[in-house]
Amino acid sequence: MKRLFLSLIGATLLFGSSAFAQETTTKKETYKWQMRLRGVGVIPHNKADISSIGGQIDVNNNFIPELDFTYFFTENLAAELILGTSKHTVGTIGSTLDLPPVVNGPATVNVDLGSVWLLPPTLMIQYHHKFGDIFKPYVGIGANYTIFYNEKSGAAQDIKYDNKFGWGYQFGFDIDLTEKFFINVDFKKLFLKTDVTVDASNLLSSEAPINELKIPAKVKLDPMLIGFGVGMRF
């Protein structure tokens, strides 16, 4: 009887250990989602074609919060949706407003074009790999659609930015703190462009033969984004 009792206890412990191990494995496999919150430095690499007044575009750097959600199709393949918005001051460098009789301004001038907010939601397809127990690097490539909003016109009376599709790539890594929480370092390069129309009719001289002055420009922003943050799997 004693031997039978000990055998039952042993079988119960063995079954319990197996069930716990299976539950732990299942729990890890259920982490299909993860969320990150980052602080991101936004560094535009801008270039413009402003044929009518010349010069080059100038867009300032910024530091913003960024939120992303990642879904894992497999252990290695995932899709990440990146959400963040950034405000930038805009101007030109080395333009000319000496265009008589249309505009009687300086031959070389920096023109204040106010500010604009950018919202470029970006979807990346990623490949993740695991080295050891805690280090998980990844690479990604994807597309974005940049929305420009809340424009402030600066020296001109009005300014308009066209929303555009673009693309980008990224690489980074996660370092696990626990099974559920981790820290993240991320680098992204986005290729963003827009057609800008500046309404500078308020700068016309009194002798101007026209009553409207629209200045078109093709602008590339192409920001680099460097981020650091924390994440959670669920």
Side-chain angles (χ1 to χ4, degrees):
M1 185 70 179
K2 182 179 179 181
R3 185 175 297 174
L4 177 61
F5 181 70
L6 292 175
S7 297
L8 287 173
I9 291 176
T12 302
L13 290 174
L14 180 61
F15 177 77
S17 299
S18 300
F20 178 77
Q22 183 177 1
E23 181 183 352
T24 303
T25 303
T26 303
K27 185 178 179 182
K28 288 182 180 179
E29 290 176 353
T30 58
Y31 290 144
K32 293 291 187 181
W33 289 91
Q34 66 184 30
M35 176 181 70
R36 299 187 188 93
L37 179 63
R38 301 186 185 102
V40 174
V42 182
I43 307 169
H45 291 167
N46 26 264
K47 183 179 180 182
D49 177 10
I50 319 171
S51 57
S52 55
I53 62 171
Q56 195 49 256
I57 198 76
D58 181 40
V59 181
N60 76 310
N61 302 336
N62 202 354
F63 187 80
I64 63 168
E66 181 190 84
L67 181 66
D68 72 66
F69 295 91
T70 305
Y71 178 78
F72 283 81
F73 302 104
T74 68
E75 183 180 355
N76 303 110
L77 186 63
E80 180 181 88
L81 178 63
I82 303 162
L83 303 171
T85 187
S86 180
K87 181 183 179 181
H88 296 275
T89 58
V90 184
T92 70
I93 300 173
S95 297
T96 179
L97 294 181
D98 185 16
L99 304 169
V102 178
V103 179
N104 294 320
T108 303
V109 65
N110 299 339
V111 181
D112 174 20
L113 295 179
S115 63
V116 64
W117 284 82
L118 279 70
L119 176 64
T122 303
L123 182 64
M124 294 283 190
I125 300 299
Q126 300 174 324
Y127 178 79
H128 292 250
H129 194 73
K130 184 176 180 180
F131 291 98
D133 293 329
I134 65 171
F135 184 63
K136 301 175 180 178
Y138 59 86
V139 295
I141 188 168
N144 64 71
Y145 183 71
T146 304
I147 301 167
F148 298 85
Y149 68 99
N150 200 22
E151 302 94 335
K152 306 295 182 183
S153 56
Q157 71 179 35
D158 194 25
I159 187 167
K160 182 180 181 298
Y161 299 82
D162 290 347
N163 300 337
K164 294 280 187 177
F165 282 100
W167 69 281
Y169 64 85
Q170 70 176 158
F171 57 87
F173 57 86
D174 299 324
I175 298 178
D176 286 354
L177 301 175
T178 67
E179 182 183 317
K180 196 168 186 178
F181 296 96
F182 57 92
I183 60 176
N184 171 257
V185 176
D186 183 83
F187 171 91
K188 284 187 287 292
K189 178 70 174 180
L190 301 182
F191 296 89
L192 311 179
K193 62 182 180 180
T194 180
D195 293 327
V196 180
T197 303
V198 178
D199 186 350
S201 302
N202 58 309
L203 302 180
L204 289 170
S205 67
S206 57
E207 297 84 15
I210 56 176
N211 55 18
E212 183 180 73
L213 178 60
K214 299 287 184 71
I215 301 173
K218 293 186 178 296
V219 178
K220 292 183 179 180
L221 298 172
D222 297 352
M224 179 171 63
L225 295 89
I226 302 172
F228 176 82
V230 294
M232 178 183 72
R233 300 182 179 94
F234 57 96

